Amino acid sequence: MARLYILLVSALLALSACAAPPPPQLGSDGKPLPRVYRIAAGQTSEVQFRMLDSVNSLRQAAGQPPLTLDSALTAAAATHSRDMSVQNRPWHFGSDGSSPLDRVRRVGYSGSLVGETISETYETELQTLAAWMEQEGTRRVILSPEARKMGFSWLQEDGGKIWWTMILGT
């Protein structure tokens, strides 16, 4: 009897593993709600270098030189991501009226600012990069022939929203 019970439980477990995943939840507009992408505290370097490698692959395909990660530009990007979250809006000006140029000067960056790309999303860094590449202005910044350095950071709110900032410099 015990063997039959174990056999039935095993069969039920095997069948439940074959079940289709639940359908995505839909919002009031009928579109699927975003799934929250969580970035663990220990993943900072992993996420930054995954973005750097992806950007450099795109730049190589466009015949542009590779970028290196710059700590000063990354500090400016982190400050702006945090500030956008506080303001609850994605835009290029800080709550104190600062511009991207002001922010890179504040962190002591000695090169020239090429540009800044920002986003407010629940998507991964690679999905965000793909969205940036679809827009002419942000694509132009990412593929700029003058760019040599990249700063990249984010702030993820408790609810999962991510404020991404990428800054490129000479």
Side-chain angles (χ1 to χ4, degrees):
M1 181 69 175
R3 287 184 182 171
L4 181 60
Y5 178 73
I6 291 172
L7 184 62
L8 287 173
V9 169
S10 297
L12 283 174
L13 288 174
L15 287 174
S16 67
C18 296
Q25 292 183 323
L26 301 179
S28 59
D29 60 359
K31 294 181 181 178
L33 293 173
R35 290 184 175 207
V36 176
Y37 170 62
R38 291 277 177 202
I39 303 171
Q43 288 184 299
T44 301
S45 292
E46 178 185 333
V47 171
Q48 287 175 329
F49 283 104
R50 187 167 42 238
M51 178 62 95
L52 179 65
D53 289 345
S54 299
V55 167
N56 280 336
S57 292
L58 292 167
R59 290 178 61 82
Q60 181 181 18
Q64 300 303 332
L67 304 176
T68 57
L69 201 58
D70 184 88
S71 60
L73 290 177
T74 296
T79 298
H80 192 54
S81 291
R82 192 172 27 260
D83 193 44
M84 287 190 298
S85 172
V86 169
Q87 296 181 72
N88 196 33
R89 63 179 168 181
W91 73 323
H92 293 282
F93 293 96
S95 55
D96 61 355
S98 63
S99 70
L101 184 58
D102 296 327
R103 289 189 293 278
V104 299
R105 285 182 181 157
R106 285 180 189 164
V107 296
Y109 182 68
S110 59
S112 297
L113 174 71
V114 171
E116 176 183 77
T117 61
I118 59 173
S119 183
E120 164 199 19
T121 186
Y122 291 88
E123 297 177 323
T124 70
E125 66 280 359
L126 299 182
Q127 290 169 318
T128 301
L129 177 59
W132 283 339
M133 290 302 289
E134 291 176 7
Q135 301 298 317
E136 182 183 343
T138 51
R139 182 176 56 249
R140 188 173 43 249
V141 169
I142 292 166
L143 299 179
S144 171
E146 294 83 29
R148 296 294 183 274
K149 305 283 184 179
M150 181 181 98
F152 179 64
S153 193
W154 61 89
L155 181 119
Q156 184 164 33
E157 296 177 349
D158 292 340
K161 184 189 294 185
I162 306 172
W163 300 87
W164 300 105
T165 304
M166 178 192 295
I167 303 175
L168 297 171
T170 60

